[in-house]
Amino acid sequence: MTTLKAGDKAPDFTGTNQNGETVNLKDFKGKKVVLFFYPKASTPGCTAQACDLQNNLNRFVADNYQIIGVSADSQQRQLNFAVKNNIQYPLLADEDKTIIEAYGVWGAKKFMGREYDGIHRTTFLINEQGVITEVISKVKTKVHTEQILK
């Protein structure tokens, strides 16, 4: 699992969002970033998490945060997910897992007794200087905002 921790420099990345636009971490210098990794767009837990963040977007904006979601879904799947749930922040399509692996959130998982590789639901809080201030690995999907803006 991730070896990144509070105090580490956040790995820079470039990705493509649901609208086909390029998003770079360095574009948000001077803002705090909520970078959340989720297993699969349009699944119940990921929908609850993304919608909780969207429903509280004004609170994040007021606190100088940019929210960015990342999964290994295709751009089209991210777009469908964003449109269906009215998501107003970038959802990056990291199909080759470049960002996912840079943040160390890809690895062995267990579900119903079966082992497989997948994305570990993890959120990184990054400060205005690009330094990780917190890593949330026990994400509560329905109340994730409260975990971040505590």
Side-chain angles (χ1 to χ4, degrees), residues 78-97:
Q78 298 289 38
L79 180 61
N80 295 348
F81 184 45
V83 168
K84 185 176 172 197
N85 298 290
N86 193 30
I87 305 295
Q88 303 294 312
Y89 51 80
L91 296 174
L92 304 187
D94 190 23
E95 290 183 273
D96 64 4
K97 302 179 191 69

Side-chain angles (χ1 to χ4, degrees), residues 70-134:
V70 182
S71 75
D73 294 298
S74 68
Q75 181 193 327
Q76 186 58 54
R77 222 180 133 93
Q78 298 289 38
L79 180 61
N80 295 348
F81 184 45
V83 168
K84 185 176 172 197
N85 298 290
N86 193 30
I87 305 295
Q88 303 294 312
Y89 51 80
L91 296 174
L92 304 187
D94 190 23
E95 290 183 273
D96 64 4
K97 302 179 191 69
T98 307
I99 305 167
I100 291 162
E101 288 176 353
Y103 279 81
V105 297
W106 182 262
K109 295 174 76 168
K110 259 192 170 126
F111 183 68
M112 295 175 74
R114 197 172 64 88
E115 269 201 40
Y116 62 97
D117 283 344
I119 296 172
H120 289 261
R121 187 186 307 278
T122 311
T123 299
F124 295 86
L125 304 185
I126 302 167
N127 71 13
E128 296 88 341
Q129 290 74 45
V131 174
I132 296 168
T133 56
E134 190 179 350

Side-chain angles (χ1 to χ4, degrees), residues 16-30:
T16 303
N17 73 8
Q18 67 269 36
N19 302 314
E21 302 156 341
T22 299
V23 175
N24 298 291
L25 179 60
K26 62 179 178 288
D27 295 343
F28 303 107
K29 208 143 182 88

